[in-house]
Amino acid sequence: MVNQDPTNPSHALFDQFVQSQTCKEVQRTFSELCHHLQLDPRDYQSFYTKLKERLNYWKAKALWIKLDKRAQHQDYQQGKVCVKTKCLVLGAGPCGLRTAIELALLGAQVVVLEKRDSFSRNNVLHLWPYTIYDLRGLAAKKFYGKFCTGALDHISIRQLQLILLKVSLLLGVEVHTGVEFKGFVEPSEATGWMAELFPDDHPAGKFQFDVFISAGGGRFVPDGFRWKELRGKLAIGITCNFINHHSAAEAQVAEISGVARIYNQKFFQDLLTEKGIDLENIVYYKDATHYFVMTAKKKSLLKMGVIKQDFSDANQLLGQANVDQEALLRYAHGAAHFSTGHRLPNMQFALNHAGQPDVAMFDFTCMHRAENASLVRERKGKKLLMGLVGDCLVEPFWPLGTGIARGFLAAFDTAWMVRSWGKGKPHLEVVAERESIYQLLSQTTPENINKNYSAFSIDPATRYQHVNLNSIKANQLQHLYDVEDHIDLGRPTKKQKDSVGAFEELLKWCQQHTAGYDRVKVKDLTQSWRSGLALCALINTFRPHLIDMSSLKESDSVHNNQLAFSLLEGELGIPPIISASDMATKEQIDKLSMVLYLTQIHDAFNERTP
Ligand code: FAD
């Protein structure tokens, strides 16, 4: 073994790179290291191998052992499966970088674009056990010694980005910061798909790619994708960060991993009485900062002068002009101080990227979710596979801490999609497989994903309990293949006829097998299923002994749906796609989810009926 040589500058440079604490420093030390080792980081196919050869002392080797273990997984086929694939990833948030790492392991050329030039978010992310396991496997602890020590299950956003940036660079991913993606440049006869960037003379503008992954964060859904709003009751989130002086007194203060009003009425009542602060929930994590996230009631924000005037429109209500920043600081400070039993000494706000106290208020009333996770565009015979990951796919509700867990699941699913693409699977089959897996994402919890974390890979079957990669068929998704000038998911075009045809066939089958049942009239694939009676009728047609239709009341829709869901899961192994109460009461039922569900029922009954 070659030990670290204090006189060897590459060892010192590598050490600086590993320890770097800002995005700029990571990039600078990496470039110095490459320069010193005479390595070209754009030589993505052999960069990692050459780096390993040239940095062969114990500290570097310990890192290579970790990364090699991941890289040797059979899914990557020794980094050969996507050698011809060129991927552009938009956004160097945690999900963009996590996806980039997987794409690099598959052997693809990967370029990441990030419009910011620093990682400045102090806010802290909750990590599900599998994400901790995953990040340990990427040597997180070597880059950040405090990573999830003891029972810690969280990390600041910026620290997570730093870890993932370092791994990305080592694996040959090209990361450009301070450059904004503005749109696509369509192919010509001589060129492939390229990006329009700001600044417009940025060299990454010349990169030609066949896969585009958007990880641009909340609500950054690229052209061609549609999203839905999941509108709940008004929910106003507040986050704040205080400096962690790392004193003995601070170490004593217990974290709050989530106190919801329903579980601790007295706590919230006392907070209201003592401070006039009225919250729905609060979370406190002790990390690089003391971080709090809470959901506050509008009435108390108005009363405490945080919100100046009441508006029904959330944008107006929480707009800068309507918020008294000083009052917001007092409110957040008061809540943090009270909820930690007044035991956090010397509570000074940490500063945000703008040098201001790091306190912010957000609207969680209306969450977004993309209707589809993928699509294919084709111009001049050149296909572009597009996918969404992270917050732009499903926006998380921060106090629940689902952002990274679901974000990483989607990153792996997306890598699986690119793998199929790289293997030459027909484009609509690639999309159909991706959409089949996407249906599972919003239902995932730490409890219902597989528990054998060491077996987790980009293969969805290693992570999800019930996964059917073919639950949505390619012929249902013609509308996600855009070969003309623009895609319009609202109006069926000639291209969509097949998919519309498939929906119609499914509808016809449902009508045929529910005909004649009292109080059941199937007219569509969404509203007609609300009361649960149509589902029960369908089951009754094929398994008459399972349900007594005469005992069911139309008004008991939650019960009817629950009954049907349980029978379908128990008898046919088809997991529900929505909760029984959402099915009965939710303003809009997701059509594609219903198509998936009913298709599974159709397939199961058709296969099992002689
Ligand atoms: P992000 O982390 O949002 O990353 C998206 C990246 O894309 C950004 O770096 C952005 O600069 C870049 N980008 C966007 N558009 C372009 C473009 N056109 N060109 C180039 N780059 C672009 N979650 C919590 O659980 N708790 C919190 O307290 C919390 N606080 C947050 C505070 C802020 C200000 C934000 C934005 C998000 C916060 N989140 C929080 C959400 C959390 O950060 C995400 O769930 C998590 O980081 C995974 O997101 P992501 O990688 O999909 O997107």
Side-chain angles (χ1 to χ4, degrees):
M1 183 187 290
V2 185
N3 283 323
Q4 178 162 7
D5 174 358
T7 59
N8 187 334
S10 65
H11 296 187
L13 280 172
F14 182 67
D15 216 28
Q16 282 171 25
F17 166 75
V18 170
Q19 301 302 329
S20 297
Q21 280 305 305
T22 64
C23 173
K24 279 222 166 74
E25 203 187 337
V26 173
Q27 290 173 306
R28 181 181 55 76
T29 51
F30 180 72
S31 133
E32 284 173 13
L33 181 67
C34 292
H35 184 71
H36 185 79
L37 296 173
Q38 296 184 321
L39 283 173
D40 180 0
R42 284 164 306 178
D43 174 17
Y44 67 96
Q45 272 172 346
S46 47
F47 177 77
Y48 176 60
T49 315
K50 287 184 184 161
L51 182 67
K52 283 198 300 182
E53 281 164 13
R54 291 179 203 188
L55 268 180
N56 186 27
Y57 73 105
W58 67 274
K59 209 168 185 176
K61 271 182 145 178
L63 189 60
W64 309 147
I65 289 171
K66 284 261 177 197
L67 297 183
D68 283 348
K69 188 170 174 224
R70 179 94 200 176
Q72 278 152 11
H73 194 282
Q74 58 184 18
D75 289 348
Y76 309 119
Q77 299 177 0
Q78 285 146 2
K80 298 274 184 290
V81 66
C82 286
V83 275
K84 292 202 185 118
T85 311
K86 307 212 174 296
C87 308
L88 185 73
V89 177
L90 184 160
C95 296
L97 290 170
R98 189 66 194 86
T99 311
I101 290 169
E102 290 306 315
L103 300 179
L105 289 169
L106 285 164
Q109 183 178 3
V110 189
V111 174
V112 177
L113 303 177
E114 169 56 56
K115 68 178 177 190
R116 301 182 208 196
D117 57 8
S118 66
F119 295 161
S120 57
R121 282 176 281 170
N122 291 320
N123 284 2
V124 175
L125 299 170
H126 174 64
L127 298 172
W128 288 7
Y130 99 81
T131 44
I132 298 178
Y133 196 97
D134 174 65
L135 288 162
R136 279 189 205 278
L138 293 179
K141 239 178 152 41
K142 305 230 175 284
F143 298 113
Y144 179 51
K146 292 186 200 147
F147 178 75
C148 289
T149 34
L152 289 193
D153 58 359
H154 46 74
I155 187 168
S156 70
I157 302 175
R158 57 175 293 277
Q159 197 55 254
L160 180 56
Q161 284 177 283
L162 286 173
I163 294 170
L164 295 170
L165 174 64
K166 290 174 194 172
V167 179
S168 302
L169 292 174
L170 292 175
L171 294 176
V173 174
E174 208 177 304
V175 182
H176 298 279
T177 52
V179 53
E180 187 172 358
F181 172 87
K182 303 296 266 182
F184 294 107
V185 179
E186 294 197 353
S188 66
E189 299 301 337
T191 57
W193 287 90
M194 291 191 282
E196 185 193 334
L197 305 177
F198 179 80
D200 56 13
D201 58 352
H202 194 283
K206 300 223 161 43
F207 179 56
Q208 300 182 29
F209 46 92
D210 61 330
V211 172
F212 171 80
I213 306 299
S214 174
R219 304 189 186 187
F220 186 91
V221 180
D223 192 27
F225 286 89
R226 297 194 355 162
W227 38 260
K228 334 182 240 242
E229 285 184 0
L230 307 170
R231 193 167 279 278
K233 68 180 175 90
L234 182 71
I236 302 171
I238 297 175
T239 56
C240 58
N241 286 280
F242 298 90
I243 297 172
N244 189 345
H245 302 279
H246 301 283
S247 65
E250 285 164 283
Q252 297 292 317
V253 183
E255 295 192 332
I256 308 171
S257 59
V259 179
R261 196 176 186 92
I262 41 164
Y263 299 116
N264 200 336
Q265 306 265 0
K266 180 163 174 354
F267 168 85
F268 289 100
Q269 192 51 53
D270 290 350
L271 175 60
L272 178 61
T273 315
E274 194 176 309
K275 303 263 185 188
I277 294 171
D278 203 0
L279 302 181
E280 299 279 2
N281 55 41
I282 186 160
V283 171
Y284 159 52
Y285 291 139
K286 198 182 312 166
D287 210 282
T289 56
H290 295 289
Y291 160 81
F292 295 82
V293 59
M294 59 200 93
T295 317
K297 291 199 176 175
K298 178 170 87 170
K299 207 166 142 196
S300 82
L301 290 167
L302 280 163
K303 202 159 163 207
M304 301 288 284
V306 178
I307 297 178
K308 296 179 192 164
Q309 219 185 317
D310 194 2
F311 292 104
S312 54
D313 173 58
N315 287 333
Q316 241 179 326
L317 185 74
L318 303 182
Q320 224 180 343
N322 199 36
V323 174
D324 180 331
Q325 201 60 23
E326 286 303 317
L328 175 60
L329 298 189
R330 280 196 298 278
Y331 193 96
H333 190 284
H337 198 229
F338 180 89
S339 60
T340 46
H342 313 284
R343 291 174 62 222
L344 265 186
N346 191 13
M347 288 177 67
Q348 286 168 272
F349 284 111
L351 300 183
N352 63 16
H353 63 283
Q356 298 298 319
D358 194 350
V359 179
M361 195 151 60
F362 300 87
D363 170 30
F364 287 115
T365 311
C366 173
M367 308 300 287
H368 286 186
R369 178 178 190 268
E371 274 187 12
N372 296 97
S374 58
L375 59 87
V376 172
R377 207 170 258 182
E378 183 174 330
R379 299 287 183 275
K380 301 265 187 304
K382 294 172 187 175
K383 291 195 180 69
L384 176 69
L385 173 67
M386 296 169 69
L388 306 179
V389 294
D391 288 13
C392 71
L393 182 64
V394 178
E395 238 188 320
F397 178 53
W398 302 347
L400 280 182
T402 51
I404 283 307
R406 298 214 176 115
F408 278 18
L409 286 174
F412 301 148
D413 297 340
T414 301
W416 185 253
M417 166 182 86
V418 176
R419 181 181 186 269
S420 301
W421 181 259
K423 288 178 86 157
K425 197 171 186 157
H427 59 278
L428 268 180
E429 282 179 30
V430 173
V431 170
E433 189 176 89
R434 178 69 193 97
E435 297 308 318
S436 300
I437 301 164
Y438 177 43
Q439 301 304 311
L440 303 173
L441 191 65
S442 293
Q443 336 282 326
T444 51
T445 64
E447 288 73 40
N448 71 11
I449 56 168
N450 287 342
K451 295 296 170 306
N452 185 5
Y453 305 139
S454 64
F456 272 33
S457 77
I458 56 172
D459 182 347
T462 62
R463 291 171 281 116
Y464 301 108
Q465 277 181 6
H466 304 285
V467 61
N468 175 357
L469 300 182
N470 302 311
S471 56
I472 297 184
K473 305 279 185 279
N475 67 359
Q476 293 170 329
L477 295 176
Q478 284 289 338
H479 59 291
L480 297 182
Y481 174 37
D482 166 27
V483 278
E484 289 169 20
D485 288 341
H486 73 285
I487 193 160
D488 182 349
L489 301 173
R491 271 170 282 132
T493 62
K494 204 161 166 268
K495 282 173 287 153
Q496 294 174 24
K497 265 206 172 139
D498 278 0
S499 124
V500 173
F503 289 170
E504 272 170 9
E505 250 174 58
L506 180 64
L507 179 61
K508 232 185 253 167
W509 179 83
C510 294
Q511 285 167 335
Q512 193 185 340
H513 294 288
T514 53
Y517 280 91
D518 188 25
R519 300 160 297 169
V520 175
K521 185 115 194 92
V522 174
K523 289 190 270 188
D524 53 33
L525 295 169
T526 50
Q527 296 303 321
S528 305
W529 301 84
R530 230 177 234 298
S531 75
L533 287 180
L535 267 183
C536 290
L538 207 48
I539 299 170
N540 193 258
T541 301
F542 292 94
R543 301 276 194 284
H545 61 285
L546 292 179
I547 292 189
D548 171 11
M549 289 299 287
S550 64
S551 69
L552 303 179
K553 291 199 196 89
E554 192 172 2
S555 56
D556 246 351
S557 40
V558 177
H559 167 265
N560 302 340
N561 278 308
Q562 191 53 59
L563 175 69
F565 289 167
S566 306
L567 286 171
L568 289 166
E569 186 159 25
E571 292 287 316
L572 303 176
I574 303 173
I577 37 119
I578 184 173
S579 76
S581 61
D582 275 358
M583 180 82 162
T585 57
K586 219 168 136 199
E587 209 173 296
Q588 280 196 334
I589 299 174
D590 178 25
K591 183 168 174 190
L592 202 53
S593 302
M594 278 305 285
V595 169
L596 160 74
Y597 194 53
L598 292 168
T599 305
Q600 286 177 293
I601 298 170
H602 164 274
D603 292 353
F605 281 141
N606 270 9
E607 268 167 33
R608 290 166 214 211
T609 307

